[in-house]
Amino acid sequence: MFRVMATATANTSTKPKKKFSKTEIKETLLTPRFYTTDFDEMEQLFNTEINKNLNQAEFEALLNEFKTDYNQTHFVRNPEFKEAADKMQGPLREIFVEFLERSCTAEFSGFLLYKELGRRLKKTNPVVAEIFSLMSRDEARHAGFLNKGLSDFNLALDLGFLTKARKYTFFKPKFIFYATYLSEKIGYWRYITIFRHLKENPQYQVYPIFKYFENWCQDENRHGDFFSALLKAQPQFLNDWKAKLWSRFFCLSVYVTMYLNDCQRTDFYEGIGLNTKEFDMHVIIETNRTTARIFPAVLDVENPEFKRKLDRMVEINEQIMAVSQSDNIPLVKNLKKIPLIAALVSEIIAAYLMPPIESGSVDFAEFEPQLVY
């Protein structure tokens, strides 16, 4: 695990501060991951001669959206960034650095996957390939902006090192579609919710990066719309009982991961004036409503029992972390974790087995690109 190397006290030296490079991130089940997939299967899915469901007109409309590049000149820094970073001290500074690191890693992960898909699909489907390439442009821009934010705290992630050193998680193409659609849409709702909150409560605007979230989240929204179009082009991923099971599984995975992650970092959300659990439930509910437009089944997240199960998972996860941080020998730690992990898995399964909401449709309306506010 890397350590935060920036000092917590003001530096009165006139010498320029050294920027420390951070090359690795502690791997846990909740850590942002790098993904790879079956690129040969991807080429078959987007081969217009094989797949007659591909709506090239829809993809061309999306391509024009991406080519417009609404945020080409949006991510321009100013002196506010460094000034705000220098004022931020103590626990909030440390947890804010972690927020930048995790966000940068997640955006860079998307860049790597989209870049490779853009390269591999050039001959099979040039329009789809170009969209993937333009999405990788967006993700690279986001990751670079976040990494420059880290430089305000005299830190930087070595993204080149991460590319080579991080373990890659393999997902089949249909799982990439489910997971990435959800991650892009939940990213939209997280960013727009924080932006609106800070616009109404400017006293919590501790760092100017949040001022960029309104335009930034529209990149996430466009990416999600593209994956929605990809799913519509592959009706076999949406129109049977297996699709319903997988849709619910990925909804639950994304929602639980976010909830557990954020509840470990309440200092960050409280630092910007948010109640962590209220924020997360708002994001989950809005993401679920959006997802119901395309997924054949979603979770009943507005049922109070769903939140009770999430809160129970948080309690169990905190107990697991307490055991991990205890002074016991590894064998004793592992023995103590067994019943806790079993209890956590039991809660997750119970949440999955709650009666779902039937949603989505294979009879899709004509594509109409739109912004969600």
Side-chain angles (χ1 to χ4, degrees):
M1 178 180 178
F2 53 72
R3 296 187 180 277
V4 177
M5 300 182 197
T7 56
T9 57
N11 188 338
T12 57
S13 170
T14 56
K15 294 181 180 179
K17 296 178 182 178
K18 181 179 179 181
K19 184 171 72 175
F20 293 93
S21 177
K22 306 176 88 173
T23 56
E24 58 182 282
I25 289 180
K26 183 179 180 180
E27 292 281 355
T28 72
L29 286 174
L30 303 179
T31 303
R33 298 183 180 277
F34 287 8
Y35 294 97
T36 187
T37 190
D38 185 335
F39 294 104
D40 291 333
E41 183 182 344
M42 280 287 193
E43 289 180 23
Q44 291 181 359
L45 290 174
F46 294 108
N47 188 316
T48 53
E49 296 180 2
I50 297 174
N51 186 352
K52 302 304 180 183
N53 292 310
L54 292 172
N55 185 342
Q56 287 299 108
E58 182 174 350
F59 289 131
E60 286 170 4
L62 279 163
L63 177 57
N64 288 331
E65 280 280 299
F66 282 102
K67 280 183 174 180
T68 303
D69 196 5
Y70 298 102
N71 289 331
Q72 184 176 12
T73 60
H74 180 60
F75 296 95
V76 178
R77 286 162 51 86
N78 57 51
E80 283 186 65
F81 283 81
K82 183 61 178 170
E83 293 169 3
D86 289 341
K87 291 178 183 176
M88 203 184 303
Q89 302 298 338
L92 180 60
R93 181 183 179 94
E94 186 169 343
I95 200 72
F96 197 83
V97 164
E98 186 185 13
F99 160 75
L100 291 173
E101 290 164 348
R102 293 175 65 84
S103 299
C104 182
T105 303
E107 298 283 357
F108 190 65
S109 169
F111 158 73
L112 292 174
L113 177 64
Y114 298 160
K115 180 182 179 184
E116 184 62 15
L117 283 166
R119 186 181 71 83
R120 292 292 294 266
L121 295 174
K122 269 185 180 179
K123 293 182 180 178
T124 306
N125 194 318
V127 173
V128 170
E130 189 172 359
I131 294 174
F132 273 119
S133 296
L134 293 175
M135 288 203 305
S136 74
R137 169 206 68 195
D138 295 342
E139 301 287 355
R141 190 179 283 158
H142 300 166
F145 196 63
L146 288 158
N147 212 11
K148 285 180 181 177
L150 279 169
S151 71
D152 296 326
F153 297 85
N154 308 310
L155 298 164
L157 282 177
D158 187 339
L159 298 178
F161 178 86
L162 287 179
T163 303
K164 300 173 184 177
R166 287 294 294 276
K167 295 178 182 178
Y168 285 70
T169 300
F170 177 86
F171 269 4
K172 289 178 67 64
K174 69 176 178 180
F175 300 152
I176 289 286
F177 294 163
Y178 294 140
T180 310
Y181 171 83
L182 277 166
S183 68
E184 296 288 1
K185 288 299 184 181
I186 208 167
Y188 166 82
W189 282 110
R190 285 174 66 85
Y191 283 1
I192 196 63
T193 302
I194 291 173
F195 174 82
R196 288 169 177 168
H197 161 72
L198 292 176
K199 188 175 182 180
E200 293 177 3
N201 303 277
Q203 69 273 24
Y204 291 110
Q205 189 77 254
V206 295
Y207 189 68
I209 199 167
F210 300 118
K211 297 178 182 178
Y212 291 74
F213 274 14
E214 184 177 32
N215 285 38
W216 189 333
C217 73
Q218 293 306 329
D219 284 343
E220 312 293 328
N221 197 41
R222 278 185 286 273
H223 295 182
D225 287 345
F226 173 58
F227 277 98
S228 177
L230 295 184
L231 282 165
K232 287 192 289 182
Q234 311 295 337
Q236 71 275 20
F237 297 161
L238 296 172
N239 62 4
D240 62 13
W241 64 270
K242 289 184 290 184
K244 292 182 178 181
L245 294 179
W246 282 119
S247 294
R248 289 159 55 199
F249 171 81
F250 278 98
C251 283
L252 185 62
S253 299
V254 170
Y255 300 160
V256 168
T257 299
M258 183 186 75
Y259 204 81
L260 295 184
N261 259 324
D262 288 353
C263 286
Q264 291 177 25
R265 297 166 177 83
T266 55
D267 287 347
F268 170 78
Y269 295 97
E270 290 173 2
I272 58 174
L274 285 168
N275 178 294
T276 307
K277 290 183 177 180
E278 289 179 3
F279 165 73
D280 272 20
M281 284 310 302
H282 170 76
V283 170
I284 287 171
I285 288 169
E286 293 297 344
T287 302
N288 205 59
R289 289 173 178 173
T290 302
T291 301
R293 300 173 190 171
I294 183 71
F295 280 20
V298 294
L299 303 171
D300 186 7
V301 300
E302 297 180 61
N303 183 332
E305 183 60 26
F306 183 78
K307 184 178 185 303
R308 282 194 287 270
K309 292 186 184 304
L310 287 179
D311 289 336
R312 177 62 182 149
M313 292 178 210
V314 170
E315 292 173 7
I316 299 169
N317 192 49
E318 288 173 349
Q319 294 173 39
I320 293 172
M321 291 190 297
V323 171
S324 297
Q325 295 165 5
S326 69
D327 296 329
N328 295 127
I329 62 174
L331 176 60
V332 173
K333 287 183 180 181
N334 290 335
L335 290 173
K336 286 185 175 181
K337 284 181 182 179
I338 290 173
L340 294 172
I341 293 173
L344 181 61
V345 171
S346 177
E347 289 292 342
I348 292 172
I349 292 173
Y352 182 77
L353 293 177
M354 287 177 63
I357 295 174
E358 300 288 321
S359 59
S361 173
V362 293
D363 301 318
F364 298 104
E366 288 295 314
F367 171 69
E368 295 179 7
Q370 58 184 354
L371 300 181
V372 180
Y373 279 100

